[in-house]
Amino acid sequence: MVHLSAQQKAENAAVQAFLERPETIALFRNPELADPCSTVFTGFMEDVKKLHSGIDSMQNILSVAGQLQKTNTSLKTALEMYRKAYKDFKAQTMASGETQGASHCEKQALAAAFNWLKKPNSLKDYINGKCPNPYTIVYRERTKSPYQLRTHLYDSKLQKKRLKFYTLEADESAIFLSETVNPETGESKKHIEMVVLRNMAMDAPHGAELYELMDSLVMEAINDRRNVRPQHDGSMIQVGWNAGPRHARVFGLAKSYTKKLDETKKAQRDSNIVAAFSVMWNMSKAFLPAEVTKAGEDALRSTGMPALATRHVREGLGYQFSLGGKEYNFPLARRAPPEGYMSQDYVAWAHVDKAYAKYSFAWCVKRELDPTKKRKASAKNVQMLRGGGGNFVDLTLRVLVKQAAGTLIAFKSELPHGTTTLAGAHNRHMSIAFSQHVATAFAKAQQGNEVISGGGAGHGQEGSNKGTGLGATQE
């Protein structure tokens, strides 16, 4: 007979109570728990270890849960779902040839290097110094935009003193906050207006290879696919779900290829892009304040919008990509939000984008400066600018963000914003948007109990005479 100390009995009781919580039972129903390299699995194990240091494997947990399921039918059903998910996970990894790719340990090492396994820090954590803080906290109130929509933006004009723009230099990260005070209680509340993070994961193991991969995928996509913003300087392509052209709103998957490719190549390139945006979303969740990406995930849940897919990559879980000579396969991981854009040398005049989520996201994966040539920006020739143009502008916050490779920006797309003329700069970006017209088209399709994928999907918003940008226009 084994005699347990009082501490051991308390630890066992704590674990048993934890396993019977409705939130824990819901986790056993989540297929991501079956993947040992997922953030769901890692977080689950960390929670259990806090309660009982002697439990160091899922096998130990299942042994305890197996005893509890005899009197808890909800837990029993959830454990059956977990075992099926784990069986499916093993089958998928074997079928994908993962045994010749990255091992579980290698996948976990990659996820750790890019902070995917870390619980995101909240705004309060950053303000109170409870975590390493790369950000400068800047309090700034919004005011009226100095420019009307569809106005081209120039760095030289924005930096005039009378406009009182805040210039964020290319090596500075910042969280821009506004603050409101409850007149009755006197309590203040902070609101995140914009977040700018520099050098995101560039110095991490495999960071240089990751940026090379993302840059190559953007260039490939620009070469292969339809430019959905022909009325702007530069090029932008869309992947994922959209609402079709203005004259025939149909919710479906973007039909974006203009280059003749066989179906196998299309499927492979679509698979790469789904992985690229899913990596971007994981990075956003890992490095930005938790409130920012939570707003996006809450919006996806409330609208029921599907995750990213293409005409050659079906809806569902999972993505895979090659990095450093290894194939990384995450078959049960959740994908990025449904709407992704890639752009090269893209210039957007002052505009607004109607959105169903509070923030949109833009990641600069490559930036180069032309040391000799003038570049044409709309109707004017703009001299080369020291440090280059192509910078992001929030017009009502009155902030000019100098662009740099490795910069991730979360901003409020429904408020006036744009980019300055290139002035000798070359940028390549990936962006995740939450366009209201796409969510509206989805809701209408759901009312008819179907999601329609029609020939009209994928034409972007050509022909619009309103201010356009990442995914939506001012209606």
Side-chain angles (χ1 to χ4, degrees):
M1 183 176 181
V2 178
H3 295 281
L4 300 177
S5 67
Q7 180 181 347
Q8 289 173 322
K9 290 179 180 178
E11 288 180 338
N12 287 346
V15 170
Q16 290 172 0
F18 173 78
L19 292 176
E20 292 195 284
R21 289 172 53 199
E23 297 87 348
T24 307
I25 292 173
L27 272 180
F28 279 115
R29 298 174 185 271
N30 186 341
E32 286 188 83
L33 187 63
D35 183 353
C37 290
S38 69
T39 55
V40 173
F41 177 88
T42 304
F44 177 75
M45 292 301 298
E46 287 178 354
D47 288 340
V48 174
K49 287 179 182 178
K50 289 176 184 177
L51 300 173
H52 196 311
S53 59
I55 294 181
D56 58 0
S57 70
M58 181 60 84
Q59 186 175 356
N60 294 150
I61 295 172
L62 292 176
S63 177
V64 176
Q67 296 297 317
L68 298 174
Q69 72 176 1
K70 295 176 182 178
T71 56
N72 189 324
T73 55
S74 295
L75 179 60
K76 180 179 179 180
T77 302
L79 288 173
E80 290 172 353
M81 294 178 68
Y82 167 79
R83 293 186 180 97
K84 182 181 184 304
Y86 184 72
K87 183 179 179 181
D88 292 343
F89 167 74
K90 296 293 289 184
Q92 288 181 46
T93 53
M94 292 297 292
S96 68
E98 188 190 349
T99 52
Q100 298 178 4
S103 66
H104 285 310
C105 290
E106 287 171 325
K107 290 198 298 181
Q108 197 144 13
L110 183 77
F114 293 149
N115 271 15
W116 296 350
L117 303 181
K118 181 181 71 68
K119 182 180 178 181
N121 297 309
S122 67
L123 175 63
K124 186 180 290 186
D125 292 334
Y126 287 114
I127 292 176
N128 294 338
K130 292 184 177 180
C131 60
N133 187 1
Y135 299 105
T136 298
I137 305 297
V138 180
Y139 287 89
R140 196 164 178 83
E141 298 301 322
R142 291 191 177 273
T143 185
K144 183 180 178 181
S145 170
Y147 296 110
Q148 294 182 344
L149 299 182
R150 291 179 61 84
T151 300
H152 291 282
L153 304 173
Y154 301 89
D155 287 85
S156 57
K157 293 183 179 180
L158 292 169
Q159 294 183 57
K160 290 182 178 179
K161 289 185 178 180
R162 64 179 177 81
L163 294 179
K164 298 180 180 179
F165 266 77
Y166 183 107
T167 298
L168 189 70
E169 298 298 336
D171 60 348
E172 295 178 324
S173 299
I175 299 174
F176 291 89
L177 301 177
S178 63
E179 195 167 17
T180 56
V181 178
N182 187 318
E184 296 180 358
T185 65
E187 293 182 355
S188 65
K189 184 176 182 181
K190 297 175 176 61
H191 308 274
I192 299 175
E193 300 295 336
M194 179 167 65
V195 182
V196 181
L197 175 65
R198 308 294 190 176
N199 199 39
M200 184 176 70
M202 294 188 82
D203 298 327
H206 298 294
E209 294 165 306
L210 177 70
Y211 275 87
E212 288 177 8
L213 172 63
M214 297 300 159
D215 183 40
S216 67
L217 292 178
V218 172
M219 289 192 290
E220 184 177 74
I222 294 295
N223 185 55
D224 291 348
R225 300 170 191 257
R226 178 182 297 108
N227 178 12
V228 298
R229 298 291 182 270
Q231 69 272 40
H232 288 267
D233 292 338
S235 300
M236 175 182 283
I237 66 94
Q238 188 208 346
V239 294
W241 297 94
N242 72 5
R246 285 176 171 270
H247 65 275
R249 288 298 195 206
V250 180
F251 181 78
L253 292 164
K255 185 178 181 182
S256 60
Y257 282 105
T258 56
K259 189 174 182 179
K260 289 186 178 180
L261 299 170
D262 61 43
E263 295 302 301
T264 300
K265 283 187 177 179
K266 287 182 180 179
Q268 181 58 56
R269 294 185 182 188
D270 278 11
S271 176
N272 290 339
I273 281 187
V274 167
F277 280 107
S278 298
V279 167
M280 177 184 171
W281 187 240
N282 277 339
M283 297 288 229
S284 300
K285 291 194 291 184
F287 289 100
L288 297 178
E291 294 88 343
V292 175
T293 49
K294 183 179 183 298
E297 295 191 321
D298 288 347
L300 293 173
R301 276 192 292 271
S302 65
T303 57
M305 289 285 285
L308 186 64
T310 73
R311 295 192 174 209
H312 298 87
V313 178
R314 294 186 300 175
E315 293 179 67
L317 298 170
Y319 55 88
Q320 62 187 60
F321 57 92
S322 295
L323 195 67
K326 294 280 187 179
E327 185 75 14
Y328 290 87
N329 181 33
F330 299 92
L332 296 179
R334 286 195 174 97
R335 295 178 187 166
E339 192 182 349
Y341 297 83
M342 290 180 166
S343 62
Q344 178 173 274
D345 290 351
Y346 181 70
V347 177
W349 51 56
H351 67 284
V352 296
D353 298 320
K354 290 185 178 180
Y356 62 94
K358 186 180 290 187
Y359 305 100
S360 294
F361 303 81
W363 182 23
C364 181
V365 298
K366 186 73 173 182
R367 179 172 170 88
E368 298 170 312
L369 297 179
D370 186 337
T372 58
K373 296 179 181 178
K374 297 178 181 179
R375 291 192 56 78
K376 189 174 181 181
S378 299
K380 299 181 179 181
N381 286 327
V382 178
Q383 292 285 346
M384 180 185 66
L385 180 71
R386 183 178 181 182
N391 299 313
F392 180 81
V393 185
D394 185 315
L395 287 160
T396 57
L397 201 58
R398 298 209 181 192
V399 174
L400 171 66
V401 180
K402 294 292 187 72
Q403 195 54 266
T407 297
L408 177 66
I409 304 176
F411 61 99
K412 293 183 175 180
S413 64
E414 287 202 316
L415 300 175
H417 63 282
T419 52
T420 61
T421 54
L422 292 172
H426 302 271
N427 295 330
R428 284 187 281 277
H429 278 90
M430 294 172 57
S431 304
I432 293 175
F434 299 82
S435 301
Q436 181 60 60
H437 73 278
V438 177
T440 300
F442 173 73
K444 289 181 179 178
Q446 291 295 93
Q447 289 170 7
N449 296 319
E450 61 180 344
V451 175
I452 305 169
S453 181
H459 292 284
Q461 296 179 38
E462 294 102 337
S464 166
N465 61 357
K466 300 290 182 78
T468 61
L470 299 181
T473 78
Q474 182 192 25
E475 298 288 356

